Amino acid sequence: MTTFNRRRSFSIVAVLALAITIAAAPLQEAKRGDARGAEQAKEVLARFIGAWNTTIVMGDAEPVEGTSIVRPIEGSTFVTEEMHAELFGDAYMGIGVMGYDQVKNAWVSMWVDSAESTLNVGTSTWDAESQSMIERVPARGETPAQLHVARFTDKDSFVFVAGPDVAEFKPEMVIQYKRHK
């Protein structure tokens, strides 16, 4: 190989390496995201992590006892929740993911369960003053837009309320979470 060909090969390799580095930079930046938002997210999500005993009230129905386990997704700003209960005589299971999307710099969530045949996807805000996660889920088909609020009453309990996102909000479902001891 001549000196010219070696230099040309080296130049091509150098240009490719530079192009890969430049192309990867936005991906690395997106992965890092807003460091302050990520740290706040980890602090907020830590409150949800654990095993919970739940009391579910839907409308005028009798309260139903259940369980929920919230686990961190290691190395991320997300948690998973798995809930079990017996609703209206049927076994109920729900699975959700909630967290802080560092690319969007926003709280996001999704929920799917055995009571509905749809995936609920929402965006949220954390209100530090009221110690509440406030989520809005857009309308889906016949289902109107929903408002969900999870408000901590202390470090070992929070209440989740859900209902149509209208001016005069009236919860259709209330879930009391008490940390399992």
Side-chain angles (χ1 to χ4, degrees):
M1 183 179 270
T2 67
T3 305
F4 174 76
N5 286 339
R6 276 189 291 237
R7 284 185 187 148
R8 193 167 116 196
S9 295
F10 176 76
S11 296
I12 290 171
V13 169
V15 168
L16 286 173
L18 180 61
I20 290 169
T21 302
I22 291 170
L27 297 175
Q28 289 301 317
E29 186 60 32
K31 186 174 180 182
R32 281 193 296 270
D34 176 13
R36 286 173 300 148
E39 287 309 309
Q40 179 197 32
K42 288 177 182 179
E43 289 174 20
V44 170
L45 293 172
R47 301 180 73 173
F48 288 95
I49 294 169
W52 301 88
N53 296 316
T54 61
T55 303
I56 305 166
V57 177
M58 296 186 67
D60 296 329
E62 290 295 316
V64 174
E65 302 301 315
T67 61
S68 174
I69 297 178
V70 179
R71 294 180 177 93
I73 297 177
E74 294 301 324
S76 78
T77 54
F78 287 87
V79 295
T80 63
E81 178 180 6
E82 185 173 322
M83 178 180 270
H84 294 271
E86 187 173 308
L87 292 178
F88 307 110
D90 293 324
Y92 170 85
M93 179 181 180
I95 296 176
V97 176
M98 173 181 70
Y100 187 75
D101 184 321
Q102 294 180 68
V103 175
K104 294 179 181 177
N105 290 324
W107 289 94
V108 295
S109 63
M110 59 75 58
W111 182 264
V112 64
D113 61 40
S114 57
E116 292 185 286
S117 59
T118 187
L119 178 68
N120 294 293
V121 178
T123 56
S124 305
T125 55
W126 172 251
D127 180 27
E129 186 176 330
S130 68
Q131 298 296 291
S132 300
M133 185 66 72
I134 303 161
E135 175 188 43
R136 290 200 150 72
V137 178
R140 307 163 323 278
E142 299 290 316
T143 305
Q146 297 287 302
L147 174 63
H148 301 162
V149 179
R151 185 178 56 81
F152 280 87
T153 53
D154 60 48
K155 69 181 184 71
D156 293 323
S157 60
F158 68 95
V159 62
F160 173 87
V161 296
D165 191 0
V166 294
E168 295 192 27
F169 177 73
K170 182 179 179 195
E172 294 178 341
M173 176 174 59
V174 176
I175 306 174
Q176 296 282 340
Y177 285 74
K178 299 280 184 198
R179 195 173 299 279
H180 181 75
K181 301 229 177 187

